Amino acid sequence: MIICKSQKEMTKIREACQIVARLLKELRPLVRPGVTTKELDRFAEDFIQRAGARPAFKGYRGYPATLCTSVNEAVVHGIPNDYKLREGDIVGVDAGAIVDSYYGDAAVTFPVGTIVPEVERLLQVTRESLELGIQQVRVGNRVSDIGHRIQKYVQSFGYSVVRDFVGHGIGQALHEDPQVPNFGEPGRGPRLREGMVLAIEPMVNMKGPEVRILSDRWTAVTADGSYSAHFEHTVACTSNGPEVLTRLDHGA
Ligand code: MF3
Ligand code: CO
């Protein structure tokens, strides 16, 4: 069942989303050679708490941290640890916050120092695929129009989209209906309606789409060891088109 949100609920979700947006902005300059992913996690937990919110991932199905930090061939759900980031790495940073029981969720893949142009392009294409997916969030479109657009764009560069993880509805739970795959035929699945809120999160591998899970039972890595990027926004479907709730609101 897909829950459409009232204006009042939307205000809470927007608040949670803006905390995540501000957090990711503050993390960006901290992502540099020598910093550990655990240090980033520590900063994130403090930041969310100081903002009067709660981390959304910590404790979710036993997940142990505030952030997911997924380095290089890690796709998603990397657990922050003592690994020191190195020049040329990329790190996917995924963050969620809860305000008065409403959730916000977003992710960015950051370069660490200077990265090679091939990987730079992977980040750019993944970011652009998210923007194209977001543009499909209009009343009357169907859920699969989002993933179709993302997949078509990503594959035109010879990259692949991950199938084993998908985006999701979000509201008073981190994961609500509907599932939002980053692939598929257009014109399938539920129709988009005013008040729906979706977390759209393309995961793009440089080579094949297959992933495997490490023995920590969380970290998903590419099966072929190729680099992977992940960007995510929480997006509301409004009568005026998509509202990207995790886009930093400079007026606020
Ligand atoms: N953005 C991811 C998701 O929506 C992050 C979840 S991490 C978890 O699934 F630990 F909470 F599972
Ligand atoms: Co998500």
Side-chain angles (χ1 to χ4, degrees):
M1 189 214 16
I2 303 178
I3 302 163
C4 290
K5 278 73 181 178
S6 67
Q7 284 306 328
K8 204 168 147 184
E9 292 180 295
M10 209 60 99
T11 302
K12 301 283 189 197
I13 297 173
R14 198 178 281 115
E15 246 179 82
C17 287
Q18 285 299 304
I19 290 167
V20 173
R22 292 202 302 272
L23 167 61
L24 290 173
K25 181 198 152 129
E26 298 227 354
L27 280 170
R28 182 179 294 273
L30 304 180
V31 175
R32 53 191 189 324
V35 75
T36 69
T37 51
K38 216 184 227 172
E39 287 165 346
L40 299 177
D41 193 71
R42 179 59 194 270
F43 178 88
E45 182 161 356
D46 288 351
F47 184 94
I48 289 172
Q49 264 156 11
R50 274 187 281 118
R54 284 190 298 129
F57 304 162
K58 202 168 194 170
Y60 180 85
R61 296 175 178 244
Y63 187 74
T66 295
L67 297 178
C68 300
T69 52
S70 306
V71 178
N72 297 341
E73 73 280 3
V75 177
V76 285
H77 302 166
I79 301 173
N81 59 21
D82 291 321
Y83 175 76
K84 282 187 166 70
L85 293 172
R86 296 197 233 177
E87 183 98 19
D89 282 347
I90 56 173
V91 57
V93 177
D94 194 343
I98 312 173
V99 170
D100 290 348
S101 86
Y102 288 91
Y103 285 71
D105 186 6
V108 177
T109 299
F110 294 115
V112 182
T114 304
I115 61 175
V116 298
E118 289 76 13
V119 178
E120 188 84 66
R121 199 178 68 146
L122 173 72
L123 299 194
Q124 188 179 334
V125 168
T126 308
R127 198 185 303 113
E128 287 167 351
S129 78
L130 172 57
E131 293 304 321
L132 292 171
I134 290 169
Q135 286 172 20
Q136 295 299 315
V137 178
R138 325 204 143 266
V139 174
N141 271 8
R142 288 185 188 269
V143 167
S144 79
D145 294 329
I146 299 167
H148 178 71
R149 191 74 190 83
I150 290 171
Q151 182 182 27
K152 231 176 54 177
Y153 187 70
V154 163
Q155 290 182 351
S156 75
F157 292 87
Y159 303 145
S160 54
V161 295
V162 169
R163 319 298 166 94
D164 294 32
F165 301 98
V166 296
H168 48 94
I170 180 168
Q172 292 203 75
L174 177 60
H175 297 140
E176 292 183 355
D177 286 343
Q179 295 203 135
V180 184
N182 299 297
F183 55 90
E185 297 293 317
R188 308 281 170 87
R191 263 187 212 290
L192 300 180
R193 309 242 176 248
E194 192 173 346
M196 287 185 184
V197 182
L198 304 175
I200 304 175
E201 48 180 322
M203 290 142 270
V204 175
N205 297 352
M206 255 184 153
K207 295 183 183 164
E210 297 83 11
V211 305
R212 64 188 178 85
I213 307 296
L214 297 186
S215 57
D216 64 17
R217 304 179 76 232
W218 279 102
T219 312
V221 299
T222 60
D224 57 20
S226 68
Y227 277 30
S228 184
H230 176 219
F231 287 82
E232 176 176 23
H233 272 307
T234 297
V235 182
C237 182
T238 82
S239 54
N240 294 318
E243 179 186 349
V244 183
L245 300 173
T246 42
R247 190 109 65 206
L248 203 61
D249 179 357
H250 291 279

